[in-house]
Amino acid sequence: MTGAKKKKKSMLWSKMHTPQCEDIIQWCRRRLPILDWAPYYNLKENLLPDTVSGIMLAVQQVTQGLAFAVLSSVHPVFGLYGSLFPAIIYAIFGMGRHVATGTFALTSLISANAVERIVPQNIQNLTTQSNTSVLGLSDFEMQRIHVAAAVSFLGGVIQVAMFVLQLGSATFVVTEPVISAMTTGAATHVVTSQVKHLLGIKMPYISGPLGFFYIYAYVFENIKSVRLEALLLSLLSIVVLVLVKELNEQFKRKIKVVLPVDLVLIIAASFACYCTNMENTYGLEVVGHIPQGIPSPRAPPISILSAVITEAFGVALVGYVASLALAQGSAKKFKYSIDDNQEFLAHGLSNIVSSFFFCIPSAAAMGRTAGLYSTGAKTQVACLISCIFVLIVIYAIGPLLYWLPMCVLASIIVVGLKGMLIQFRDLKKYWNVDKIDWGIWVSTYVFTICFAANVGLLFGVVCTIAIVIGRFPRAMTLNIKNMKEMEFKVKTEMESETLQQVKIVSINNPLVFLNAKKFYTDLMNIIQKENAGNQPLDDISKCEQNTLLNSLSNGNCNEEALQSCPNEKYSLILDCSGFTFFDYSGVSMLVEVYMDCKGRNVDVLLAHCTASLIKAMKYYGNLDSEKPIFFESVSAAISHIHANKNLSKFNDHSEV
């Protein structure tokens, strides 16, 4: 009896613990996305494009690392470390296959506020000028990087805490217009911060509210201090960079490898500066000594964490939002999915681990990610290969960058921000699609310019939520009775064969950023739903009565839609009579539904559309102009399907 009890207890014990082990393994695989794609990596097809992309990415990582380190008010060599370690960590934990993580202009600008506040430039003469044991750098330089590393560490801790709290699901409140305006405003700040290098003038660090305007006021007051040599070299560099990059873009399909103009410009400018001794002859500021090697890891100073908490929150939120937008864009472009919460973990660990290696805060950058697109990168192997070349620069080539003029480096930064700055063109589409989104974009941009990127982001989110809350009380529900009468009329007038090829989905709520993703998910579930057989005609009213799509309630979709044969083309009718209002995200999702259904061999027809919705959809997407998709009523849409079916039958008989 005792043995039976022991056996039963051991069986219960094994049942309790075996699933837990499996759950741990599954959790590890879910939290280490590299395990999903690395074992299936195709060397033959992917290694060559990833290698080419990695080399081109390394050039961007080195140049932007040096530039953004200066932007962060630390020694340029720390930017090289910031281009190495975050990329490795993100390749392991990140889900964006075409996202290039490293130094980032916006996070560098935010961390510079803490660096200049805690270790200002005017105390440099008061500190000991003796070199430390770390890379031979001065105490002043080490104090500054300790502050930047503390910002990176605390920002990463905040991001990991947000991952634990599963706050990634709340990022839907950060809409596309807010992200576009915030990044454009921050890019404008970065360009402004480089004016002193472009013009070759000495300028004190200026920040705080309205600091953007104070910088230009100082420049105009000291316009006579501009060095003509620096200005001419900056203009020449910008012209060459823009011209060559435009030519690369124009002929990228005809040439296999684009010209790395950034690298060529750095080599040419450094060689010219060395030969002509521009540093002493013309007084041009150069990058200076770049130490070789990587120092031993050291923990960031805990004592100053409380002093940098404001900048840490800014780095955590701004860096994550900008990186997530790029990850979602790449996932949408290359047809894969990402987990918003996992991105919190990936970027959080990138910042935490990197802070022990004297790195400035990191995030994904638009220019580097676009470079991966254009060079045909397939996976994160491209980023890992770029890390190899960054290591070569750190250990061998770094000292040769001594003579690189700062005005050339500033020109590379400004041209690299082109992707963000041209987002001003988004104003036109926001105006044509939804003027309220246009107003949010403008106001968010103004707040970002006047204050900071994190302030602009917070204002944009609060403003968006307030406007949506104010608009939702005007939402109207769909009149079910009229819907039934219309469906009954359609049922009696049309053939059953036609009706069995149609799904009718009624939308009875506004379609905005709050429910756009849920709307897409529910609609795709309806389309992918498989029934054993077609439903009889007598059940059609009951079936279509339940096609009321309520995207803002509990999210449950109770559609019992009509199913076609698996291999037979069918049609989807979206009844938009309950579509009271929409925003840019809603129109974007509606167009995406149309394009996805088109790829699935499903015809999408929209009924009861308002004139503003039709105009917005036509403006936003390249809709099929040969086939009508907008109809006055559901019955008109079904009549169109019936007419096309009869025409198809006639054509089949003619062929016979």
Side-chain angles (χ1 to χ4, degrees):
M1 190 74 178
T2 307
K5 286 184 177 180
K6 287 183 177 180
K7 186 176 181 181
K8 186 176 181 181
K9 184 180 288 186
S10 64
M11 290 178 64
L12 290 172
W13 183 261
S14 62
K15 287 182 180 180
M16 288 174 63
H17 281 74
T18 302
Q20 291 181 358
C21 295
E22 294 177 355
D23 290 342
I24 292 174
I25 294 173
Q26 291 179 0
W27 187 89
C28 290
R29 290 182 62 88
R30 191 166 65 250
R31 297 310 169 199
L32 294 171
I34 193 173
L35 299 178
D36 287 334
W37 58 265
Y40 310 102
Y41 186 77
N42 192 325
L43 289 173
K44 186 176 180 180
E45 293 183 3
N46 298 337
L47 185 59
L48 180 59
D50 280 344
T51 302
V52 174
S53 298
I55 296 173
M56 301 300 295
L57 177 61
V59 175
Q60 290 182 299
Q61 289 278 36
V62 170
T63 55
Q64 292 183 2
L66 295 172
F68 295 155
V70 175
L71 185 63
S72 192
S73 297
V74 299
H75 193 279
V77 71
F78 299 117
L80 297 179
Y81 306 152
S83 300
L84 174 65
F85 293 104
I88 297 174
I89 302 301
Y90 184 84
I92 298 173
F93 293 95
M95 300 187 71
R97 301 173 195 170
H98 302 81
V99 174
T101 303
T103 56
F104 186 43
L106 308 189
T107 54
S108 297
L109 201 62
I110 294 173
S111 66
N113 293 332
V115 172
E116 293 288 349
R117 188 182 72 251
I118 298 175
V119 190
Q121 187 72 33
N122 56 17
I123 72 166
Q124 183 174 6
N125 298 328
L126 303 177
T127 58
T128 305
Q129 293 300 311
S130 61
N131 293 338
T132 63
S133 59
V134 181
L135 301 174
L137 296 175
S138 66
D139 291 333
F140 175 76
E141 294 290 356
M142 294 309 301
Q143 289 176 19
R144 288 201 149 196
I145 188 56
H146 284 323
V147 175
V151 174
S152 177
F153 175 79
L154 188 56
V157 170
I158 293 171
Q159 288 174 328
V160 172
M162 290 179 175
F163 159 75
V164 174
L165 296 174
Q166 298 290 294
L167 295 182
S169 57
T171 55
F172 68 91
V173 299
V174 187
T175 61
E176 184 178 331
V178 173
I179 296 174
S180 174
M182 184 269 293
T183 53
T184 307
T188 309
H189 271 296
V190 175
V191 172
T192 302
S193 69
Q194 297 303 302
V195 168
K196 61 181 180 180
H197 297 304
L198 295 172
L199 301 180
I201 62 176
K202 299 292 184 180
M203 180 187 303
Y205 182 78
I206 301 174
S207 64
L210 304 180
F212 174 84
F213 303 100
Y214 292 139
I215 290 176
Y216 284 105
Y218 183 91
V219 169
F220 284 113
E221 288 176 0
N222 299 270
I223 197 69
K224 294 181 180 180
S225 302
V226 173
R227 292 188 179 274
L228 185 61
E229 298 84 2
L231 177 59
L232 292 177
L233 189 55
S234 299
L235 291 175
L236 179 62
S237 301
I238 292 175
V239 170
V240 170
L241 288 168
V242 172
L243 183 61
V244 176
K245 289 189 175 184
E246 286 297 323
L247 291 175
N248 283 339
E249 189 68 23
Q250 290 290 332
F251 298 101
K252 65 180 180 181
R253 294 184 179 179
K254 297 182 180 180
I255 55 178
K256 295 183 179 180
V257 181
V258 296
L259 177 65
V261 62
D262 294 356
L263 178 62
V264 174
L265 182 62
I266 288 174
I267 296 174
S270 301
F271 183 74
C273 183
Y274 170 75
C275 293
T276 59
N277 195 17
M278 291 184 184
E279 182 182 8
N280 298 321
T281 305
Y282 302 107
L284 287 183
E285 186 181 1
V286 296
V287 170
H289 175 62
I290 303 292
Q292 288 180 296
I294 300 175
S296 301
R298 182 182 298 179
I302 306 299
S303 58
I304 63 173
L305 291 183
S306 59
V308 300
I309 190 168
T310 303
E311 287 80 10
F313 266 103
V315 164
L317 296 177
V318 173
Y320 172 75
V321 167
S323 302
L324 181 64
L326 294 175
Q328 290 175 338
S330 66
K332 183 177 179 180
K333 182 179 180 67
F334 296 99
K335 307 298 182 184
Y336 60 90
S337 61
I338 62 168
D339 182 357
D340 295 352
N341 282 306
Q342 180 65 24
E343 291 299 292
F344 260 131
L345 177 64
H347 289 289
L349 292 178
S350 295
N351 280 312
I352 292 174
V353 175
S354 301
S355 66
F356 286 82
F357 293 91
F358 306 96
C359 294
I360 59 179
S362 64
M366 181 181 293
R368 296 194 299 266
T369 303
L372 290 179
Y373 290 170
S374 61
T375 52
K378 302 297 182 181
T379 64
Q380 278 289 326
V381 170
C383 296
L384 295 176
I385 291 175
S386 73
C387 293
I388 297 174
F389 289 94
V390 173
L391 272 175
I392 294 174
V393 173
I394 292 174
Y395 278 96
I397 306 176
L400 299 178
L401 298 173
Y402 178 97
W403 294 278
L404 176 62
M406 289 299 299
C407 59
V408 174
L409 199 57
S411 301
I412 294 174
I413 295 178
V414 171
V415 176
L417 294 171
K418 175 190 171 185
M420 292 185 182
L421 294 174
I422 62 175
Q423 291 180 135
F424 278 109
R425 298 186 301 187
D426 293 346
L427 284 172
K428 182 179 179 181
K429 67 179 180 182
Y430 293 135
W431 180 264
N432 284 280
V433 174
D434 184 19
K435 292 178 176 57
I436 292 181
D437 277 342
W438 181 90
I440 292 175
W441 196 103
V442 173
S443 57
T444 302
Y445 177 80
V446 170
F447 263 75
T448 303
I449 288 295
C450 294
F451 300 99
N454 49 350
V455 177
L457 177 64
L458 180 62
F459 171 82
V461 171
V462 172
C463 185
T464 303
I465 294 175
I467 289 176
V468 171
I469 292 175
R471 295 172 76 183
F472 260 108
R474 296 187 289 121
M476 297 176 61
T477 56
L478 188 64
N479 191 325
I480 304 298
K481 182 178 180 181
N482 292 340
M483 189 72 178
K484 287 181 181 179
E485 293 174 353
M486 178 191 62
E487 290 167 357
F488 178 79
K489 182 179 179 181
V490 171
K491 181 185 69 174
T492 56
E493 291 181 355
M494 296 298 172
E495 297 177 0
S496 61
E497 187 178 0
T498 299
L499 287 175
Q500 287 176 349
Q501 295 175 345
V502 180
K503 292 181 180 180
I504 303 176
V505 176
S506 175
I507 308 170
N508 73 321
N509 274 303
L511 188 58
V512 293
F513 73 95
L514 287 172
N515 62 339
K517 288 185 179 180
K518 189 67 176 68
F519 166 78
Y520 178 84
T521 302
D522 288 345
L523 202 54
M524 290 300 107
N525 288 338
I526 296 171
I527 295 172
Q528 294 172 357
K529 199 175 181 182
E530 294 184 0
N531 282 348
N534 294 328
Q535 296 178 355
L537 180 62
D538 294 338
D539 295 337
I540 191 167
S541 296
K542 179 181 178 181
C543 178
E544 290 177 351
Q545 179 182 350
N546 293 327
T547 60
L548 185 63
L549 183 60
N550 189 345
S551 304
L552 286 177
S553 58
N554 55 12
N556 296 326
C557 190
N558 298 320
E559 281 80 4
E560 295 290 341
L562 293 171
Q563 299 292 329
S564 65
C565 297
N567 299 323
E568 189 175 6
K569 185 173 183 178
Y570 61 88
S571 300
L572 172 67
I573 298 178
L574 296 180
D575 182 7
C576 302
S577 56
F579 226 159
T580 52
F581 65 87
F582 54 88
D583 66 357
Y584 182 84
S585 300
V587 174
S588 172
M589 192 59 69
L590 203 56
V591 173
E592 185 176 343
V593 165
Y594 174 81
M595 300 306 295
D596 283 358
C597 290
K598 186 177 179 181
R600 298 169 185 264
N601 204 28
V602 177
D603 287 333
V604 177
L605 296 85
L606 284 79
H608 298 292
C609 296
T610 61
S612 59
L613 177 62
I614 296 174
K615 178 185 175 182
M617 288 190 65
K618 286 183 176 179
Y619 181 84
Y620 180 89
N622 296 321
L623 304 179
D624 194 346
S625 58
E626 297 180 358
K627 298 180 180 179
I629 62 173
F630 301 104
F631 296 89
E632 294 181 355
S633 62
V634 174
S635 58
I638 295 181
S639 299
H640 173 76
I641 297 170
H642 183 63
N644 283 350
K645 181 176 179 60
N646 289 338
L647 181 61
S648 177
K649 287 182 178 181
F650 177 76
N651 291 335
D652 292 341
H653 286 303
S654 299
E655 290 177 2
V656 173

